[in-house]
């Protein structure tokens, strides 16, 4: 029996790094239609590719994310690390009190960002 074909990026080092980082972030439910935390964030090359972009989106005059559409994220399942961290880390709390029962301690959140930067060749 032939093995199913897997997209080249699915098994790439960048994909594995991002999968590990994303898995370390506790999940929680946002308020339906709220985009208060949506703004400009850093993007890795892998995240750009996953979102179908060749470069980071231009910033809007109002500093809102270009993917914040009518109260919903247009790329929620492909959003960058910083979007995923917002509300899930003690020093990135949701202004409306949403978040996981046990948010990541500040040090753990900073460690994820450090690993993200190192793994993506960022400073």
């Amino acid at each position: 029996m032939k093995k199913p074909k897997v997209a080249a990026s699915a098994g790439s080092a960048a994909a594995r790094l991002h999968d590990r980082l994303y898995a370390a972030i506790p999940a929680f439910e946002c308020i339906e239609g709220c985009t208060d935390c949506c703004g400009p964030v850093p993007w890795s090359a892998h995240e750009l590719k996953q979102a179908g972009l060749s470069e980071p989106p231009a910033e809007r005059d109002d500093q809102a994310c270009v993917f914040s559409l009518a109260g919903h994220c247009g790329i929620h399942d492909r959003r960058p690390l910083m979007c995923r961290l917002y509300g899930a880390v003690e020093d990135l709390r949701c202004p409306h009190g949403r978040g996981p029962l046990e948010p990541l301690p500040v040090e753990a959140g900073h460690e994820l960002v450090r690993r993200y930067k190192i793994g993506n060749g960022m400073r």
Side-chain angles (χ1 to χ4, degrees):
M1 176 181 268
K2 284 186 176 182
K3 287 185 179 181
K5 277 192 165 184
V6 177
S9 65
S12 72
R16 290 190 304 274
L17 167 69
H18 286 80
D19 287 347
R20 283 192 307 274
L21 294 173
Y22 297 165
I25 302 168
F28 66 95
E29 294 283 327
C30 292
I31 296 171
E32 178 93 24
C34 179
T35 57
D36 288 352
C37 67
C38 302
V41 296
W43 292 74
S44 70
H46 174 76
E47 290 166 332
L48 289 169
K49 184 177 178 181
Q50 294 304 303
L53 302 171
S54 58
E55 58 187 45
E59 289 185 19
R60 292 180 4 184
D61 290 339
D62 64 1
Q63 294 296 297
C65 178
V66 299
F67 295 106
S68 176
L69 309 167
H72 296 284
C73 176
I75 59 164
H76 192 266
D77 61 331
R78 296 167 284 142
R79 68 197 187 283
L81 178 84
M82 289 308 296
C83 300
R84 295 167 189 264
L85 284 174
Y86 197 89
V89 183
E90 288 176 345
D91 64 346
L92 289 174
R93 297 272 185 166
C94 168
H96 305 290
R98 293 295 179 106
L101 291 176
E102 293 186 34
L104 288 174
V106 173
E107 300 78 21
H110 289 201
E111 177 61 17
L112 288 177
V113 173
R114 187 187 73 76
R115 290 174 35 211
Y116 172 82
K117 287 180 173 182
I118 290 171
N120 288 294
M122 300 173 177
R123 291 186 160 254

